[in-house]
């Protein structure tokens, strides 16, 4: 059964970096998957009244914001289409719209119809971060978060962040398409961050993967004085990992995300693609 992947891109107030299109197509190509590119354009309601028209010219500003968002969306879809044609990836595309407060929710809702969601990541742009977090925690689908400033390359060394938790187990299951195509699988357990179920959890996971025909090596690391997210990412990069797989821990209350330590650390300084499941 062919995998269905989705690239979800907000276009307001700023879109992710220019590499999100080529990276998403490259991932779909590696997975022999189809790709649906969905841009979420802003739809700011008209607030026309005499005062806003005379003093602030709000109606015109709203029209300009909506038009600029649509223009960015069309340009991005054209870029994805050109890249998909070059790589011979089957592509569908769509333009969605949402009010500013509901862009992330619209992206997450759309992502539920696919096997894998992909989102771009740009540091210090809150709207992009909020959309990515909403997709991770509300879509019900694994989400691949793509850095915006470099090519993802071949995702052939998969690094699993493993603590034996429910969300980590969900992430490993969701990562199966990547694991089956990987040349190297590393299982990393941080031993000094919290109490673990038992000492050999990494070896147990490696044995389980071996029973499924996947060879993996387990190792333990210490976070020391570093944040756990930074320790995981640093180690993954040190061993030339090309994809980090981890569970996303957090919840939403009144649309404000409260993230677990590893999740927050990874999202604050994303330096390689991360497959996150919740």
């Amino acid at each position: 059964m062919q995998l269905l992947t989705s690239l979800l891109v907000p276009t307001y107030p700023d879109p992710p970096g220019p590499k999100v299109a080529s990276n998403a197509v490259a991932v779909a190509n590696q997975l022999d998957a189809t790709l649906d590119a969905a841009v979420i354009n802003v739809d700011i309601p008209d607030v026309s009244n005499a005062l806003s028209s005379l003093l602030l010219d709000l109606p015109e500003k709203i029209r300009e914001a909506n038009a600029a968002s649509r223009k960015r969306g069309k340009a991005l879809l054209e870029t994805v289409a050109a890249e998909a044609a070059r790589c011979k990836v089957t592509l569908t595309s769509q333009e969605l719209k949402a009010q500013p407060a509901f862009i992330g929710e619209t992206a997450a809702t759309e992502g539920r119809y696919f096997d894998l969601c992909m989102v771009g990541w740009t540091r210090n742009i809150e709207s992009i971060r909020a959309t990515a977090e909403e997709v991770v925690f509300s879509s019900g689908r694994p989400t691949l978060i793509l850095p915006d400033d470099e090519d993802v390359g071949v995702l052939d060394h998969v690094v699993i962040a493993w603590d034996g938790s429910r969300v980590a187990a969900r992430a490993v299951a969701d990562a199966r398409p990547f694991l089956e195509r990987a040349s190297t699988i590393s299982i990393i357990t941080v031993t000094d961050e919290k109490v673990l179920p038992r000492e050999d959890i990494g070896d147990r996971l490696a044995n389980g993967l071996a029973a499924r025909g996947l060879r993996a090596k387990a190792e333990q690391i210490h976070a020391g004085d570093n944040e756990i997210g930074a320790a995981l990412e640093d180690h993954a990069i040190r061993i030339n990992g090309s994809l980090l797989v981890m569970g996303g821990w957090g919840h939403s209350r009144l649309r404000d995300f409260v993230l677990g330590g590893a999740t927050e650390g990874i999202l604050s300084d994303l330096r390689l693609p991360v497959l996150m499941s919740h």
Side-chain angles (χ1 to χ4, degrees):
M1 185 170 64
Q2 190 172 40
L3 286 173
L4 306 180
T5 66
S6 175
L7 172 64
L8 300 157
V9 185
T11 64
Y12 176 86
D14 297 295
K19 288 189 179 293
V20 67
S22 59
N23 282 339
V25 171
V27 171
N29 193 30
Q30 291 179 45
L31 296 176
D32 300 314
T34 66
L35 175 65
D36 181 84
V39 294
I40 301 93
N41 300 325
V42 75
D43 183 23
I44 304 174
D46 188 1
V47 292
S48 298
N49 58 54
L51 182 61
S52 67
S53 297
L54 288 173
L55 299 181
L56 301 176
D57 197 21
L58 280 180
E60 180 60 25
K61 286 180 167 52
I62 288 172
R63 285 192 291 271
E64 290 175 355
N66 289 341
S69 176
R70 291 193 299 270
K71 183 177 179 180
R72 288 190 289 266
K74 288 183 183 297
L76 189 137
L77 291 180
E78 289 173 0
T79 301
V80 176
E83 191 67 19
R86 186 182 70 83
C87 296
K88 296 184 170 64
V89 169
T90 301
L91 176 73
T92 57
S93 62
Q94 53 183 319
E95 296 180 74
L96 308 176
K97 61 182 181 179
Q99 294 183 22
F102 300 105
I103 288 176
E105 182 178 319
T106 299
T109 300
E110 182 60 27
R112 294 169 189 160
Y113 296 95
F114 299 88
D115 301 306
L116 172 70
C117 297
M118 289 185 277
V119 293
W121 185 264
T122 302
R123 191 178 304 173
N124 299 326
I125 297 183
E126 181 58 33
S127 59
I128 294 174
R129 177 184 176 119
T131 298
E133 290 173 353
E134 187 84 33
V135 173
V136 168
F137 291 103
S138 299
S139 69
R141 292 290 186 262
T143 302
L144 183 61
I145 307 175
L146 302 167
D148 73 329
D149 54 359
E150 58 185 64
D151 296 322
V152 298
V154 179
L155 306 181
D156 59 350
H157 183 177
V158 178
V159 180
I160 300 171
W162 181 249
D163 61 1
S165 65
R166 179 195 67 80
V167 291
R170 179 72 266 165
V172 172
D174 288 337
R176 183 168 182 170
F178 295 97
L179 296 173
E180 290 176 341
R181 293 166 172 80
S183 60
T184 306
I185 302 172
S186 300
I187 301 167
I188 308 301
T189 300
V190 178
T191 59
D192 60 343
E193 189 263 339
K194 64 181 179 182
V195 177
L196 299 171
R198 48 193 286 178
E199 291 185 1
D200 63 343
I201 58 173
D203 291 325
R204 290 200 70 194
L205 178 59
N207 292 337
L209 293 176
R212 296 169 174 84
L214 302 172
R215 295 183 60 184
K217 178 183 178 181
E219 59 180 310
Q220 299 178 344
I221 66 171
H222 294 278
D225 295 331
N226 296 323
E227 296 288 340
I228 180 174
L232 287 167
E233 192 169 31
D234 286 345
H235 190 79
I237 292 171
R238 190 177 305 120
I239 62 176
N240 297 316
S242 52
L243 173 66
L244 178 61
V245 173
M246 63 182 294
W249 187 88
H251 65 277
S252 175
R253 179 176 298 170
L254 297 178
R255 299 183 60 79
D256 290 326
F257 283 91
V258 181
L259 304 180
T263 306
E264 172 64 27
I266 292 293
L267 295 183
S268 65
D269 184 22
L270 192 74
R271 288 172 283 156
L272 80 167
V274 175
L275 181 72
M276 198 171 285
S277 292
H278 177 69

